Amino acid sequence: MSTIVLPRIMEVGGGAITRLPQVLQSIRSKKPLIVTDKVMVQLGYLDKLQSILQDAGIESDVYTDTVPEPTAASIQAGIKKMKSDRFDAVIALGGGSAIDSAKAIAVMGKFGGTVNEYRFPRQFNEPGLPIIAIPTTAGTGSECTRVTIITDEKTDEKLLCIGAGFMPIAAIIDYELTISVPARTTADTGIDAMTHAIEAYVSQKANPYSDSQAIAAMKLIGPNLRKVYHDGNNKVAREAMILGSTLAGIAFSNASVALVHGMSRPIGAFFHVPHGLSNAMLLPAVTRFSLDAAKERYAECARALTFAKPTDSDNVACEKLLTTLVDLNEALSVPTPEQFGIDKTRFFAVVETMAKQAESSGSPSNNPRVPTIAEMVTIYKQLWN
């Protein structure tokens, strides 16, 4: 038995952003707060959004101080802003960090408390202010997940907060907003989306519904990830990637992620590595570790991603999956921790702590092969070889 949670409204396609006023009217919102970041201001996306609202006679205000990999402190100012007026909805505009910030602001602005009080294993299902999520990257799938991740900067720990209360009421999936995303971010967010789909499919919490979304996501992402990295103006590939990202988000939100994400969050928290990039660093090693526990499933992933032929045996498909993941990191210029600039001595000094934080997030226990702390430490150390 599976409980499926989704946004109530999804507007999908090029130019879908112009449907925002109708979405707001359908949820009876008269004064939304737009939560975004400085990049959206510079790119002119915020102006575009506000002029669409102005033309429809809808009053709005803006909070633009969200940060990459949001922290408990960075959302406090947003909560303060939300409480300063009678806002009746939150519009999240940007990548996963802006959407995650908006989710926390919409819930904590209404219910109060600290981020720590909302962390997993607590399931927070009470609705906060309605959230309308407008992603501008093909990556986190946060526009359709009941998850938000906020860093507690006091402990350098990424806190996983989960529950229907964090699910946006509406998502606007407009690939035209992703055209200007630079190659590095395109690669990092694309690998994040691919990881979501793979992990949802091999997760111990996978179900027939999440499986269908994960396979569909992989079929869109696999053939298009390199294309968008090399040519950001390829509209067909951009559209495939954002749709794949959304479907992968739906898949993992309803099946859960696994070991890659569990181990990825601490690397991000300690060393400020973008989330998609830390996933990419880990994906080959974690897949190798997990493979034998779910061979058929990983083989299906390889075929859906088009890394293997439909006629390949499970063994051949799994081999191709491993080699392609390594090749892909090379093709997309994914740095090793060392190339990223992480100090090896410090990294090795905190591997034990990172492994414990990974375990406490709950994600590793969904993996086909559940690791011990010692096994996670070994995988972390492998990233240096």
Side-chain angles (χ1 to χ4, degrees):
M1 192 132 116
S2 314
T3 303
I4 308 299
V5 185
L6 296 166
R8 200 166 82 198
I9 305 161
M10 294 176 82
E11 296 285 352
V12 185
I17 194 172
T18 58
R19 300 278 304 157
L20 179 59
Q22 288 91 321
V23 172
L24 287 166
Q25 283 152 8
S26 75
I27 64 165
R28 297 198 165 88
S29 166
K30 290 186 168 58
K31 190 171 187 185
L33 174 67
I34 302 167
V35 174
T36 189
D37 58 40
K38 298 285 191 274
V39 177
M40 295 298 109
V41 179
Q42 287 159 8
L43 289 172
Y45 288 169
L46 178 61
D47 282 348
K48 184 177 180 176
L49 201 62
Q50 285 191 295
S51 66
I52 289 168
L53 295 180
Q54 246 162 355
D55 292 347
I58 297 169
E59 187 189 348
S60 66
D61 202 349
V62 188
Y63 175 70
T64 60
D65 289 334
T66 68
V67 296
E69 318 293 322
T71 63
S74 76
I75 59 167
Q76 276 311 317
I79 291 166
K80 196 174 165 191
K81 173 79 179 177
M82 200 188 104
K83 288 180 167 175
S84 71
D85 210 335
R86 292 187 172 180
F87 297 109
D88 55 15
V90 174
I91 298 169
L93 173 70
S97 296
I99 298 174
D100 277 2
S101 300
K103 288 178 175 185
I105 289 165
V107 169
M108 291 172 64
K110 181 173 174 181
F111 295 102
T114 65
V115 178
N116 245 304
E117 290 167 36
Y118 292 86
R119 71 181 298 174
F120 179 84
R122 183 182 182 183
Q123 293 273 339
F124 193 82
N125 295 325
E126 294 85 339
L129 278 194
I131 304 154
I132 296 150
I134 308 172
T136 58
T137 61
T140 64
S142 191
E143 68 276 2
C144 53
T145 72
R146 53 202 173 101
V147 177
T148 187
I149 294 167
I150 308 292
T151 301
D152 179 352
E153 59 275 63
K154 291 191 187 79
T155 57
D156 261 346
E157 186 174 2
K158 281 196 175 193
L159 305 179
L160 180 68
C161 306
I162 195 163
F166 296 107
M167 174 63 77
I169 198 163
I172 295 179
I173 319 294
D174 186 342
Y175 78 87
E176 290 175 4
L177 300 176
T178 67
I179 303 268
S180 59
V181 175
R184 177 74 267 140
T185 309
T186 295
D188 298 348
T189 53
I191 292 170
D192 190 23
M194 182 176 74
T195 308
H196 289 152
I198 294 171
E199 291 214 290
Y201 196 69
V202 301
S203 166
Q204 292 196 38
K205 290 184 180 169
N207 55 71
Y209 181 87
S210 63
D211 283 353
S212 67
Q213 309 296 302
I215 289 289
M218 286 187 268
K219 285 179 176 176
L220 289 162
I221 294 166
N224 289 293
L225 183 49
R226 290 177 202 242
K227 287 180 190 171
V228 286
Y229 176 70
H230 292 299
D231 176 14
N233 291 313
N234 184 329
K235 290 183 178 179
V236 175
R238 284 286 193 194
E239 186 163 23
M241 284 301 296
I242 198 165
L243 197 52
S245 167
T246 298
L247 293 172
I250 291 171
F252 91 77
S253 183
N254 291 290
S256 190
V257 284
L259 183 55
V260 177
H261 274 76
M263 291 182 65
S264 172
R265 292 184 206 108
I267 295 177
F270 274 102
F271 301 102
H272 309 293
V273 179
H275 174 65
L277 204 53
S278 51
N279 277 348
M281 290 172 179
L282 283 158
L283 188 56
V286 170
T287 304
R288 193 177 297 114
F289 170 82
S290 312
L291 211 54
D292 286 341
K295 208 160 226 180
E296 283 176 23
R297 291 237 144 199
Y298 278 111
E300 277 304 313
C301 290
R303 295 181 194 111
L305 288 159
T306 66
F307 297 170
K309 292 186 189 128
T311 51
D312 286 339
S313 70
D314 287 355
N315 281 345
V316 170
C318 286
E319 273 309 308
K320 285 184 177 177
L321 179 64
L322 281 177
T323 53
T324 310
L325 290 177
V326 173
D327 292 347
L328 196 60
N329 276 4
E330 213 162 280
L332 303 183
S333 304
V334 172
T336 61
E338 192 169 24
Q339 288 163 341
F340 185 81
I342 294 173
D343 177 69
K344 186 176 181 178
T345 312
R346 178 149 188 259
F347 188 88
F348 275 61
V350 296
V351 283
E352 190 89 23
T353 307
M354 291 200 296
K356 285 174 181 163
Q357 286 185 1
E359 187 176 66
S360 72
S361 76
S363 301
S365 64
N366 305 320
N367 207 55
R369 178 182 171 190
V370 179
T372 61
I373 296 281
E375 284 170 330
M376 283 192 270
V377 167
T378 302
I379 294 169
Y380 276 132
K381 288 178 175 175
Q382 278 171 6
L383 302 187
W384 287 87
N385 302 328

